[in-house]
Amino acid sequence: MIFLGITAAISLLYVYMTWIFAPPDVVLGENVRIFFQHVAPALVSYGLFGGTLLCGVMYLWKGDLKYDILGAVTIKLGLLFTTITLLSGMIWADAAWGTPWNWDPRETTTLILWVAYACILAYRASVSDREARAQFGSIFGIVAFPMVILSYLSIRIWETLHPIVIEPSGLQMEVEHMMTLLVAMIAVTMIALIMVELSYKVDSANEKLMRIRMERS
Amino acid sequence: MTSGLSAALAIAKKDILTQFRKRFEVFSMFLFALIAVLAFSFAVVTGGAVPQEIGSALLWVIIFFTGMFGFAPIFLSESETGTLRGLATAPIPAWSVYLGKVIYGFFLMALVEIFLVPIIMVLFGFSLLNDAPLALATLLVGTLDLAAVGSMASALTMPSESKATVFPLVYFPTATSALMLLIEITKIIVLGPGLVPVLLIFEILLAHLIAMLTLSASVFHFALSP
C-alpha cells in the first residue's frame, strides 16, 4: 500500500515535471516532452526482457514454476512497454524527421524485438504440456536475449538519425531535462513493478485454477 | 572435452551419411533457393539489373529462408523416428549432441551455398571478390551462426503441437540479429568501405556466434531431458 502511494506521488511529479517543469528544448522545442514518454518505457522494456532471461535461468536452475509464470509476465509487460516506446517514438519521429517511420536502425531493431518476444508468447501457447512449456519457454527466453543487446547497440553500429543520449561521458542534455528523465525513469519503473506484481498474482491464480480443473476432470 | 568433441563429430557424421543416402533434402533446399531468387527478381529487377546493394542483401535473405528448410528437420526427424531418446540417454554430454547437429547443419547449408552463392552473384550482378578473405570468413561464420540458431530452434520445436508453423517463430527471433549483421558486412564488401568500420560489425557477428553457441550448449541438456 505504501509502495502504491509512493508510486502515485512520483507519477504525479512525473506528469508535472514532463509537462510544466521541463523547459522547451533549443532544437526540439515542445516536442522534447515526448522524449520522456519514450526513453523511460524503452529502458524499462529492456529491463523486463532482462527479467525474462533471469527468470529463464532461475526456472532451469530451481525448477520452480513461479519463475516461469514471472518470466511470461515479463514478456507480456515488456511487449506493452515496447509498444509504448514504438508509438511514442513514431510521434517524436513524425515531429522531428517529418515521417513516423524511417526504417532507422533503432526503429527497425525495436520492431524486431517486439516481434521476437511476441514469437516467444506464440511459441509458449503452442506447447500444451505445462512442464514442457516452462522448460522450453525458459530456454527460448534465454537464447532470444542477444537481440535485446543488438537493439540497444544498434545506434552505435549503424548510421542513425536517432540521437545518442547516453554517452560514456554522461547524459548529453540540460539539467532540467536530466532531472525530469530521472523522475520519469523512477515513476515508470515503479509502475512496471506494480504491474508485474498484479499480473503475476492473476497468472498464478489462473495457474491454480487450471490445476484444480485438471484434477477434477 | 575430447570425448564430447569426438561424439559431436560422430553424430554429425551419422547425419551427413544419412543425408547422402537421401540426397533429396539438399537438392530441395537448393531448388527452394532458386525459386526464391526468381521470386525476388520479380520485385527488384529494374531495367534488366538489380542494384548491387539489394542483390548482396538478398543473398543472405535467401540463405536465411533456405535455412528454414534445412534446419527444421534437424531434431524433428530424430523425434519422429524415435531416435532422440537414444541420443538423450547416450553416455555423452548434451552439448556434444547439440554441437554435432550444428556441424551437420553447417555442412548441409555450406553444401547448398557452394552452388548457390556463385549463381546469385552472377544473376544479381555483384561480386564478393572485392575482399575475398573477409567474404569467405563472413560466409563461414554466418552459416555457422545460422546453423547454431537453427539447430536450437529445431530442438525447441519438438514439444510444440504445430511444429511446422512454430519453427519460423523460433528461428526468426534468434536468427534475425545475425541476418542484419551479415547483410551489412556483405553490403560493405560489395560497395566498398562505408562510415561504419566493417571489422567492428564482423566482431559483433563473431560475438553473436559465440554467445549463441555457448548459451545454447549450456542449456541444451534441459531440451534433451524429458
Side-chain angles (χ1 to χ4, degrees):
Chain A
M1 209 58 196
I2 298 167
F3 190 76
L4 210 63
I6 297 171
T7 309
I10 294 183
S11 299
L12 281 175
L13 184 67
Y14 161 46
V15 173
Y16 165 76
M17 289 183 86
T18 307
W19 298 103
I20 300 163
F21 172 78
D25 188 67
V26 186
V27 186
L28 294 166
E30 293 292 343
N31 289 326
V32 76
R33 302 188 196 288
I34 308 165
F35 168 80
F36 309 111
Q37 336 292 335
H38 177 67
V39 177
L43 292 174
V44 167
S45 68
Y46 286 147
L48 284 164
F49 292 142
T52 312
L53 169 85
L54 208 66
C55 289
V57 173
M58 287 306 287
Y59 176 79
L60 293 178
W61 185 26
K62 301 275 184 191
D64 192 335
L65 212 57
K66 73 177 180 196
Y67 293 114
D68 181 62
I69 300 170
L70 198 60
V73 164
T74 56
I75 298 176
K76 285 179 210 162
L77 291 176
L79 280 174
L80 174 72
F81 281 94
T82 314
T83 311
I84 297 171
T85 309
L86 280 169
L87 291 176
S88 55
M90 282 165 80
I91 298 169
W92 192 13
D94 195 31
W97 310 324
T99 47
W101 197 263
N102 304 276
W103 291 107
D104 184 75
R106 186 40 91 61
E107 285 178 337
T108 315
T109 48
T110 310
L111 184 60
I112 294 172
L113 199 63
W114 192 95
V115 177
Y117 278 83
C119 282
I120 303 185
L121 274 190
Y123 168 77
R124 287 177 60 91
S126 82
V127 184
S128 61
D129 183 77
R130 188 64 189 93
E131 297 293 321
R133 188 195 307 158
Q135 194 157 331
F136 283 76
S138 298
I139 300 174
F140 197 176
I142 294 170
V143 294
F145 192 72
M147 189 63 227
V148 180
I149 300 171
L150 190 75
S151 171
Y152 181 73
L153 290 177
S154 63
I155 50 171
R156 285 156 220 276
I157 303 173
W158 284 278
E159 297 159 44
T160 178
L161 296 164
H162 195 284
I164 300 175
V165 177
I166 305 165
E167 294 275 16
S169 53
L171 294 174
Q172 304 298 307
M173 60 175 90
E174 290 169 37
V175 183
E176 288 91 343
H177 290 160
M178 212 187 294
M179 282 163 68
T180 313
L181 181 64
L182 190 73
V183 173
M185 272 306 303
I186 297 169
V188 178
T189 309
M190 288 175 87
I191 292 168
L193 284 175
I194 289 171
M195 288 172 85
V196 166
E197 201 210 350
L198 284 176
S199 310
Y200 174 72
K201 277 182 181 162
V202 171
D203 285 4
S204 299
N206 254 335
E207 195 75 38
K208 274 182 196 153
L209 205 65
M210 289 288 282
R211 252 158 218 247
I212 294 168
R213 272 192 197 147
M214 274 174 69
E215 277 165 18
R216 287 198 178 163
S217 59
Chain B
M1 184 74 185
T2 332
S3 64
L5 278 178
S6 53
L9 285 173
I11 290 169
K13 192 179 163 192
K14 172 208 63 127
D15 282 339
I16 291 166
L17 281 175
T18 322
Q19 185 54 239
F20 272 126
R21 283 193 200 131
K22 286 192 274 181
R23 281 195 200 96
F24 68 89
E25 220 160 89
V26 179
F27 191 56
S28 318
M29 282 168 72
F30 178 69
L31 282 182
F32 170 80
L34 279 188
I35 293 165
V37 169
L38 287 170
F40 280 120
S41 75
F42 302 140
V44 296
V45 172
T46 41
V50 178
Q52 283 199 336
E53 70 271 25
I54 294 178
S56 58
L58 282 181
L59 169 74
W60 283 108
V61 175
I62 291 165
I63 291 174
F64 175 79
F65 283 119
T66 311
M68 279 193 192
F69 268 72
F71 303 138
I74 284 184
F75 277 101
L76 286 182
S77 55
E78 299 274 7
S79 160
E80 278 162 10
T81 52
T83 46
L84 188 73
R85 178 106 354 256
L87 279 179
T89 49
I92 49 169
W95 61 262
S96 62
V97 176
Y98 171 70
L99 193 64
K101 295 292 183 181
V102 173
I103 297 170
Y104 163 66
F106 172 78
F107 176 83
L108 199 66
M109 207 59 223
L111 205 63
V112 176
E113 282 173 21
I114 289 171
F115 300 100
L116 186 68
V117 174
I119 291 175
I120 292 186
M121 270 165 54
V122 172
L123 291 180
F124 284 163
F126 66 89
S127 172
L128 291 175
L129 299 175
N130 300 341
D131 193 341
L134 182 65
L136 192 66
T138 309
L139 277 167
L140 285 175
V141 174
T143 311
L144 198 58
D145 198 342
L146 291 181
V149 169
S151 306
M152 194 64 211
S154 177
L156 285 174
T157 316
M158 284 188 296
S160 169
E161 262 97 82
S162 45
K163 296 179 172 58
T165 333
V166 159
F167 181 78
L169 291 188
V170 188
Y171 180 61
F172 172 83
T174 33
T176 316
S177 12
L179 180 70
M180 289 176 72
L181 297 166
L182 286 165
I183 288 176
E184 195 63 32
I185 299 172
T186 317
K187 255 190 210 171
I188 297 173
I189 293 172
V190 170
L191 297 177
L195 288 173
V196 194
V198 69
L199 281 179
L200 169 78
I201 309 178
F202 188 77
E203 279 164 15
I204 296 171
L205 177 70
L206 211 57
H208 184 265
L209 169 67
I210 294 166
M212 287 315 297
L213 276 176
T214 34
L215 274 179
S216 304
S218 51
V219 294
F220 197 72
H221 60 281
F222 293 106
L224 275 186
S225 58

